[in-house]
């Protein structure tokens, strides 16, 4: 198989997987972001990179957004929202972060393959995404991709879609958002 054949298959998988995402879940995520004082995000590994990208786009839209663990991250308060991205929902560090956020009284939303996981059970709301057959044995959804690649790619695309919905609701466009883009590059 050629590399471009693999690319086409990955795109087909993402198309199929995207049709399994609940619009209701994403609307809940948008509504929660709109009502939060601050939005903090957390994820580990590649999922964490996707959440960092999401935090950057939220900042471009004027949302007070932070990445948990960074030196410039604000404190978490009752009016805030924590969004966790985790395929398994069992990453120890993310469990601790969710427990702490819940003890403070803020809202927690998890985007995961397993809403019934430990983090899923701690969250106020879970957005379910399909994942690899190894991680999602109760599903007949299959992927040629290694490990959590499908989940991580779909996570980025889903969060970018949330950004587009937020832009629509707030009447923002890319030109407006460039005003918040880094300019000391």
């Amino acid at each position: 198989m050629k590399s471009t054949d693999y690319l086409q298959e990955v795109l087909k998988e993402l198309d199929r997987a995207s049709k399994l995402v609940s619009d209701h879940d994403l609307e809940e995520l948008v509504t929660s972001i709109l009502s939060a004082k601050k939005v903090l995000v957390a994820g580990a590994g590649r999922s964490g990179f996707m959440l960092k990208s999401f935090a950057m786009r939220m900042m471009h839209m004027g949302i007070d957004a932070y990445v948990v663990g960074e030196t410039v991250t604000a404190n978490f308060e009752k009016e805030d929202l924590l969004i966790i991205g985790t395929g398994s929902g069992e990453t120890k560090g993310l469990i601790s972060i969710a427990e702490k956020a819940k003890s403070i009284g803020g809202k927690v939303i998890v985007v995961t393959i397993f809403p019934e996981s430990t983090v899923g059970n701690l969250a106020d709301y879970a957005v379910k995404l399909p994942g690899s057959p190894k991680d999602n044995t109760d599903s007949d959804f299959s992927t040629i991709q290694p490990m959590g690649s499908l989940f991580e790619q779909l996570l980025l695309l889903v969060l970018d879609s949330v950004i587009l919905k937020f832009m629509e609701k707030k009447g923002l466009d890319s030109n407006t958002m460039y005003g918040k883009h880094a300019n000391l590059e």
Side-chain angles (χ1 to χ4, degrees), residues 40-59:
L40 284 79
V41 301
R46 287 169 44 118
S47 297
F49 291 134
M50 305 309 154
L51 271 292
K52 284 183 177 185
S53 296
F54 185 52
M56 183 173 71
R57 283 291 182 249
M58 287 191 287
M59 178 274 299

Side-chain angles (χ1 to χ4, degrees), residues 63-116:
I63 296 170
D64 202 7
Y66 302 92
V67 177
V68 173
E70 298 292 327
T71 56
V72 295
T73 299
N75 65 329
F76 188 78
E77 301 172 290
K78 286 183 180 183
E79 304 85 18
D80 297 339
L81 170 64
L82 171 65
I83 302 170
I84 297 175
T86 171
S88 70
E90 300 298 338
T91 305
K92 299 292 184 214
L94 297 176
I95 293 169
S96 296
I97 291 167
E99 288 172 338
K100 178 73 175 193
K102 292 305 295 178
S103 75
I104 293 168
K107 186 171 185 175
V108 176
I109 293 181
V110 64
V111 186
T112 183
I113 298 169
F114 297 107
E116 69 284 355

